[in-house]
Amino acid sequence: MAFSDRIKSNPRLKKFFHWLLIPTNQARPRLWVRVILNRFYHRKGKNVIIRSWVRMDVLPFNPFSIGDNSMVEDFTTINNGVGEVRIGNNSLIGLGNVIIGPITVGNNVILAQNIVASGLNHNYADIRQPIHQQGVSVAPIVIEDDCWIGANTVITAGVRIGKHCVIAAGAVVTKNIPPYSVAVGNPARVIKQYDASSDEWIKTI
């Protein structure tokens, strides 16, 4: 049995190694994990810029990657504690974003300011337990290539935003958005789509 499998199959050993990586009841990895360990597990492309005031809550047991020429601006938090975080090439993660995996951000994507995109939900069904003791459920978010996500948007778990979409500022995206669409509102609804036959963006409502 591989060493990693032995850890996963032994609750006490798993708890001990988890404590080595993350202080109890916290999300931020220990300094030695951030400075030393992560560089052996995660992939950074060429000419990547991650600003000094970015909070990188990334751990070695889930993937994190960021492609060539991409940038993460200050005051953003990126967390792969419950699922992978993958950012493509030439993409911008703007000021003050919260990115919680599992999530895939494609190539040439612009995320403006103060966006929350979380592939995590807290379980709440058992009314006899506090919510924080009920664990979490996850569903991947996918933002396909060439999208522009406006400021203060919220993207919920399990949503796929198709290629070359525009999501207006302040939208709450709770359902999939088809490619080549403009969506607005809470919950977000499609108001325009690109029509290939006329080479125009056509209003849908």
Side-chain angles (χ1 to χ4, degrees):
M1 181 184 290
F3 185 62
S4 60
D5 293 330
R6 289 179 57 193
I7 294 172
K8 292 175 184 176
S9 64
N10 185 324
R12 291 181 66 184
L13 198 58
K14 183 177 178 180
K15 185 175 181 180
F16 171 71
F17 275 93
H18 195 271
W19 175 84
L20 285 178
L21 299 173
I22 317 169
T24 304
N25 296 323
Q26 295 188 37
R28 191 168 202 181
R30 295 186 186 277
L31 181 62
W32 77 274
V33 176
R34 301 196 306 270
V35 173
I36 300 171
L37 189 60
N38 278 343
R39 66 181 59 194
F40 296 104
Y41 288 89
H42 299 147
R43 180 190 167 275
K44 283 175 64 175
K46 297 175 183 178
N47 305 313
V48 167
I49 297 174
I50 298 177
R51 298 292 189 193
S52 301
W53 294 99
V54 173
R55 178 166 165 166
M56 295 292 291
D57 289 357
V58 295
L59 292 147
F61 51 71
N62 283 318
F64 168 75
S65 63
I66 182 167
D68 298 345
N69 306 306
S70 289
M71 177 185 293
V72 183
E73 289 284 13
D74 282 327
F75 312 116
T76 287
T77 297
I78 294 179
N79 185 306
N80 75 339
V82 296
E84 65 183 23
V85 175
R86 299 189 185 276
I87 300 167
N89 301 321
N90 307 304
S91 289
L92 170 66
I93 311 298
L95 290 163
N97 282 225
V98 177
I99 307 296
I100 299 174
I103 182 168
T104 299
V105 177
N107 302 318
N108 306 302
V109 171
I110 302 169
L111 270 63
Q113 301 78 38
N114 302 315
I115 292 162
V116 176
S118 175
L120 171 152
N121 278 312
H122 289 276
N123 299 327
Y124 62 88
D126 187 349
I127 62 168
R128 291 167 293 277
Q129 288 192 71
I131 290 173
H132 73 86
Q133 292 181 3
Q134 295 191 45
V136 300
S137 56
V138 297
I141 292 171
V142 177
I143 302 172
E144 295 184 5
D145 296 346
D146 307 328
C147 289
W148 171 28
I149 313 297
N152 302 305
T153 293
V154 175
I155 303 171
T156 61
V159 163
R160 175 180 287 267
I161 298 174
K163 184 176 181 178
H164 205 101
C165 280
V166 176
I167 309 299
V172 179
V173 187
T174 61
K175 295 181 179 178
N176 294 347
I177 305 295
Y180 305 100
S181 299
V182 177
V184 306
N186 178 8
R189 65 195 189 284
V190 174
I191 62 165
K192 281 184 182 180
Q193 284 193 298
Y194 176 72
D195 180 66
S197 61
S198 64
D199 193 25
E200 292 181 334
W201 289 83
I202 307 297
K203 289 184 179 180
T204 59
I205 58 172

